[in-house]
Amino acid sequence: MSTLFRHLPSVDSALSALESVKDMQSLPRPLIKQLVNEFFDICREEIRSGVVAEPDELKLEALLPRLAAFARVGARPHFRRVLNGTGVVIHTNLGRSLLSKSAIEAVAEACGHYSNCEFDLSTGQRGSRYSHVEKILCDITGAEAAMVVNNNAAAVFIMLETLARGREVIVSRGQLVEIGGSFRIPDVMTKSGAVLREVGATNRTHVHDYENAIGDETGALMRVHTSNFRVVGFTKEVSLAEMRALGDRYNLPVIEDLGSGSLYALEGEGLLGEPTVQQVVAQGADVVSFSGDKVLGGPQAGIIVGRREYIDRIKKNPVNRAMRIDKMTLAALEATLRSYLDMDEARRQVPTLKMITASEEALKSKARRLAEVIRKRLGKKARVTMRKGMSRVGGGAFPEYDLPTTVVALAVKNISAGELREALLKTDPPLVARIEDEEFLLDPRTLDSTELKLVADALEQAVSASAS
Ligand SMILES: *Cc1c(COP(=O)(O)O)cnc(C)c1O
C-alpha cells in the first residue's frame, strides 16, 4: 500500500493538467492549488482504505476527469443562483424579491460608472442621496416627505429613536409581533431607547385603552402590522382613523410599521386585509415604514414616508449614517418605483407582483409545460402528475391566503421524496422544492418559463446522482 502513495502525480503536474481543462483557466491559481491538495487528500484516504489498489488508477489521465469535476464544484462561488420550486413568492431564505429588468439595468449602470449619487447636477454642488427617490415616493404614496434606509428593521429603529427616545410608545398587545430572524417589536423598542407601553389584550384593544395610557411620558402612538399571523375570532383593533383622532387630541405622532408595504392594490386580485401605503398615508398616519423587497418587489430597503417635520428629524439623526442606503439599492429602488407610476405597468414588470397575480390559467399551462419537459427528460424513471395546489405570498404578507395554483408532483423509482429534495441541493443550479404529505412537488408560480429546462437539468443530475 505504501508504494501506492508514490504513484500519485505531483501537485505541479496535476495543476498544469487542470489548467488546460476548459473553464478552469479563469479560476485563481491559489484556489485551484488548494483544490488539488484537497483532492489528493481524498486520494490518499482512498489508498489507505483500500478503495484504490492499482497504480494505474492513480495515473494523471485516470484521475483528471474526477479532479476536474471536483475542482469545478469546489471553485463555485458561495453565493449562487437557485431555482425556486416552492411556490413561496417572497421567500426570505431565497433572497425575497427578484428585480425587474429596468431595475437590474439601473444597478449595472450605477455600479459600473460614476454617478450623481450625492451630487446635484443643477448646482454642481454636493447633493442628497435621498433626492433620487423622495419625489417619486411622495408622488406614489401621497406623503409629504420620504427617506430610505437599509431595511425596514432599521427604519423602525430610527423612527423610534428619533421620535420617542426616552419616552413611552403606546402599542396594542395584539401587535407586539416577532417576525423571522429575531426581529421583535419590544426588543427593537428597548434598543431604540423608547419605552414600550403595552395596552389592551392580545385579542382586543379599545380606543380608551390607548387614551388611558396617554400621559406626560408619551412620545408616540404606534401601530404594527401583524405581518405573519392574524388574530381571528373575538377581536377588536383600533382603526387608524381612531388613532389619528387621538393623536390630534393629544398632539402625538401616530407611527406605523406596515411591514410589507404594498403600493399595488391587491384587493382587486381578491387578496384582502393588507392595506396599501397610499391608504395608510391617506388615513392620517404621520410616519409609515415598510420594506422595499417584500410585496413592493424592489431591492432590500426600509422606506419611511410621512409628514415633513418628522421625516426631516429622522434624516438629521446621526444614526442614519449607519443605516445608509447603497447606491446600487437606490438605483434599483428608483427604477422599481418608476414602474409604479402606471399600476398596470407595475403588474407586468415587477416580478413579485407578476408572480402573486399570475392567473390560474397561466399557471396551469406552465405546469403542463413543466410536466412535459420533465417527462421527456426522465422518461420511465419517474411518474409525473399534475394537480391543484396552493402557493404562498411569503415574506409575512397575506399569511392566511392560499393562492390557487397547479403543482407538478413527481415520484421517482427507488428514490424517496426526501432523498430527491436533498440531492437537488447539490445540482447545478440547485433546485429547492416542496414536500407535502411525503409527495415531491414543484410549483410553477415561482419558476420562470425560461427556467423549466434548468429544472429538468437539475432533476436529471439529482436522479443519476441518487441512483449511483
Ligand atoms: C418584515 C417586517 C419587518 C422587517 O423588515 P425588513 O425589511 O426585513 O428589515 C418589520 N416589521 C414588520 C411588521 C415586518 O413584516
Side-chain angles (χ1 to χ4, degrees), residues 193-262:
V195 180
L196 172 65
R197 182 71 189 268
E198 302 174 34
V199 295
T202 309
N203 57 333
R204 287 171 76 83
T205 303
H206 305 268
V207 177
H208 60 78
D209 291 324
Y210 287 91
E211 190 155 18
N212 291 342
I214 294 175
D216 292 342
E217 300 300 310
T218 312
L221 306 175
M222 185 182 193
R223 279 163 61 91
V224 182
H225 187 66
T226 52
S227 294
N228 44 11
F229 69 101
R230 287 275 182 271
V231 183
V232 294
F234 185 55
T235 65
K236 165 97 178 73
E237 254 198 10
V238 173
S239 73
L240 181 51
E242 291 170 301
M243 287 188 59
R244 170 73 275 152
L246 266 188
D248 286 340
R249 197 166 332 136
Y250 294 94
N251 197 23
L252 291 168
V254 176
I255 62 185
E256 173 141 8
D257 170 10
L258 198 48
S260 234
S262 181

Side-chain angles (χ1 to χ4, degrees), residues 53-273:
E54 295 297 324
D56 276 358
E57 295 177 70
L58 296 170
K59 280 197 175 133
L60 189 52
E61 308 88 81
L63 289 175
L64 193 57
R66 257 182 77 203
L67 172 58
F70 178 83
R72 202 166 279 127
V73 170
R76 278 177 192 154
H78 197 272
F79 197 107
R80 298 171 62 203
R81 168 185 185 172
V82 306
L83 301 166
N84 178 5
T86 66
V88 180
V89 178
I90 307 168
H91 199 306
T92 297
N93 303 142
L94 304 183
R96 285 198 185 162
S97 282
L98 310 184
L99 293 182
S100 65
K101 280 209 174 62
S102 63
I104 292 166
E105 282 162 16
V107 171
E109 179 92 356
C111 60
H113 309 278
Y114 288 110
S115 63
N116 64 341
C117 178
E118 274 189 9
F119 186 72
D120 186 337
L121 289 169
S122 64
T123 62
Q125 308 286 313
R126 185 184 174 161
S128 152
R129 66 174 58 214
Y130 308 110
S131 66
H132 305 293
V133 290
E134 177 153 18
K135 182 172 181 302
I136 193 167
L137 275 169
C138 293
D139 287 349
I140 296 170
T141 64
E144 278 176 19
M147 69 164 298
V148 280
V149 290
N150 250 329
N151 54 29
N152 188 36
V156 173
F157 178 86
I158 199 169
M159 276 196 311
L160 292 168
E161 217 272 344
T162 311
L163 304 177
R165 187 183 171 78
R167 318 201 59 189
E168 285 183 0
V169 176
I170 305 177
V171 188
S172 159
R173 286 202 169 84
Q175 297 175 359
L176 294 176
V177 304
E178 170 181 317
I179 59 158
S182 74
F183 177 94
R184 281 179 170 181
I185 288 294
D187 299 344
V188 176
M189 187 89 71
T190 305
K191 285 285 177 197
S192 75
V195 180
L196 172 65
R197 182 71 189 268
E198 302 174 34
V199 295
T202 309
N203 57 333
R204 287 171 76 83
T205 303
H206 305 268
V207 177
H208 60 78
D209 291 324
Y210 287 91
E211 190 155 18
N212 291 342
I214 294 175
D216 292 342
E217 300 300 310
T218 312
L221 306 175
M222 185 182 193
R223 279 163 61 91
V224 182
H225 187 66
T226 52
S227 294
N228 44 11
F229 69 101
R230 287 275 182 271
V231 183
V232 294
F234 185 55
T235 65
K236 165 97 178 73
E237 254 198 10
V238 173
S239 73
L240 181 51
E242 291 170 301
M243 287 188 59
R244 170 73 275 152
L246 266 188
D248 286 340
R249 197 166 332 136
Y250 294 94
N251 197 23
L252 291 168
V254 176
I255 62 185
E256 173 141 8
D257 170 10
L258 198 48
S260 234
S262 181
L263 297 177
Y264 181 93
L266 285 160
E267 283 162 6
E269 317 290 331
L271 287 158
L272 307 170

Side-chain angles (χ1 to χ4, degrees), residues 2-38:
S2 58
T3 59
L4 268 180
F5 288 112
R6 271 182 265 135
H7 284 90
L8 268 175
S10 70
V11 170
D12 280 339
S13 64
L15 256 180
S16 22
L18 199 53
E19 280 173 333
S20 64
V21 174
K22 190 170 135 285
D23 61 59
M24 286 287 148
Q25 292 95 341
S26 59
L27 298 174
R29 201 149 204 267
L31 178 58
I32 304 191
K33 192 164 177 185
Q34 187 192 333
L35 290 165
V36 168
N37 281 322
E38 283 173 26

Side-chain angles (χ1 to χ4, degrees), residues 128-149 155 158-159 263 277 281 285-290 296 301-316 320 325 330 333-334 337:
S128 152
R129 66 174 58 214
Y130 308 110
S131 66
H132 305 293
V133 290
E134 177 153 18
K135 182 172 181 302
I136 193 167
L137 275 169
C138 293
D139 287 349
I140 296 170
T141 64
E144 278 176 19
M147 69 164 298
V148 280
V149 290
I158 199 169
M159 276 196 311
L263 297 177
V277 179
V281 169
D286 290 303
V287 193
V288 185
S289 81
F290 51 98
L296 198 152
I303 301 169
I304 312 174
V305 301
R307 296 255 303 275
R308 181 171 308 283
E309 57 170 304
Y310 298 119
I311 300 289
D312 281 348
R313 279 169 61 193
I314 295 171
K315 279 183 186 164
K316 290 197 190 101
N320 191 5
I325 188 166
L330 266 176
L333 185 58
E334 186 189 11
L337 291 170

